[in-house]
Amino acid sequence: MQAWFESVANKFEMAFVTGDRWKLYFSGLGMTLEIAFFAAILGMIIGTIVALMKLSTNKKGKKTIWARIANAYIDVIRGTPSVLQLLIMWFIIMKSCKNGVLVAVLSFGINSGAYVAEIVRAGILAVDKGQNEAGRSLGLSKTQTMIYIILPQAIKNVLPPIGNEFIVLLKETAIVGYVSLTDLTRTASQISSRTYEAFMPLIGAAVIYFVIIKILTVLLDKLERRLRKGDSR
């Protein structure tokens, strides 16, 4: 038993202590959070615009060309793997760009936008139709009613699922090693190759992911409870 503990201690030291390798994990984590954060912001912007496009109708109640474009975008993005989208962005669309972070943010932001669009669309449709009629009866245009009445109420509905989308996005960034970015996952892989020991570096990275996501989950739960209290007043 003592030999086993000594072996584990040695592996831990090689994976985290020797050469201050723990700093590499935090550097990789910083890269992961940076990409996820900016991709989430881009995804929310794209998703909101696409959701409004998808809900757009003409005077006869038929879908506009914008709605069809939004549908096509969502179908393509949701129907293809995110790793392929990242590779297409890196090797084809932005082939001349050597900024891997920018490529990753654009790729994940566009990917997230398709899912956020459906979340926002569902949030808007969840708002009582009477709110739209009330806005129009006050003399507001269709656009003004959407901006000042519908969207503020829809935001309350979509915040929790958008938070969950950010958690999913955070985990999806583990594939950025394909474009030569050293995120948390790639850091663990590199240390494994140096120490010839995969268990401790990979488990360490998994624990870091778990802690970050657990913190985000707790914060989301608190947000949901606060929103429910606001609804019950």
Side-chain angles (χ1 to χ4, degrees), residues 69-83:
I69 292 172
N71 275 324
Y73 160 74
I74 292 171
D75 286 343
V76 170
I77 296 299
R78 294 176 68 182
T80 54
S82 55
V83 64

Side-chain angles (χ1 to χ4, degrees), residues 192-210:
S192 295
S193 65
R194 294 175 190 174
T195 61
Y196 301 101
E197 173 56 47
F199 178 81
M200 196 60 71
L202 295 179
I203 291 298
V207 169
I208 295 172
Y209 272 116
F210 177 80

Side-chain angles (χ1 to χ4, degrees), residues 58-156:
N58 57 28
K59 293 180 179 180
K60 296 181 179 179
K62 295 182 179 180
K63 290 184 178 181
T64 63
I65 183 65
W66 298 112
R68 298 182 189 280
I69 292 172
N71 275 324
Y73 160 74
I74 292 171
D75 286 343
V76 170
I77 296 299
R78 294 176 68 182
T80 54
S82 55
V83 64
L84 283 180
Q85 295 167 17
L86 178 63
L87 292 175
I88 289 170
M89 184 69 74
W90 177 251
F91 289 110
I92 301 175
I93 298 175
M94 300 190 69
K95 184 178 180 180
S96 60
C97 179
K98 301 304 179 184
N99 189 334
V101 174
L102 176 61
V103 172
V105 168
L106 288 175
S107 180
F108 287 113
I110 292 171
N111 177 274
S112 180
Y115 295 91
V116 171
E118 289 297 272
I119 293 172
V120 173
R121 183 182 68 85
I124 292 173
L125 293 177
V127 177
D128 189 272
K129 291 182 179 180
Q131 298 293 319
N132 184 56
E133 295 172 359
R136 300 304 298 274
S137 66
L138 291 173
L140 298 177
S141 66
K142 188 176 180 180
T143 302
Q144 289 174 325
T145 301
M146 177 63 70
I147 294 173
Y148 297 114
I149 297 179
I150 305 299
L151 280 180
Q153 296 181 63
I155 288 172
K156 205 171 185 179

Side-chain angles (χ1 to χ4, degrees), residues 192-232:
S192 295
S193 65
R194 294 175 190 174
T195 61
Y196 301 101
E197 173 56 47
F199 178 81
M200 196 60 71
L202 295 179
I203 291 298
V207 169
I208 295 172
Y209 272 116
F210 177 80
V211 170
I212 296 298
I213 290 170
K214 186 63 179 178
I215 292 171
L216 291 173
T217 302
V218 170
L219 293 176
L220 279 173
D221 289 341
K222 288 184 177 180
L223 175 62
E224 287 189 48
R225 286 197 294 271
R226 186 170 259 183
L227 290 175
R228 283 198 295 268
K229 285 182 181 178
D231 289 337
S232 62

Side-chain angles (χ1 to χ4, degrees), residues 1-26:
M1 182 63 72
Q2 183 179 353
W4 182 83
F5 278 113
E6 289 179 355
S7 175
V8 171
N10 288 333
K11 291 177 181 178
F12 181 87
E13 183 178 358
M14 283 194 301
F16 298 98
V17 180
T18 303
D20 289 334
R21 284 176 178 153
W22 60 271
K23 293 181 180 179
L24 299 177
Y25 290 93
F26 281 99

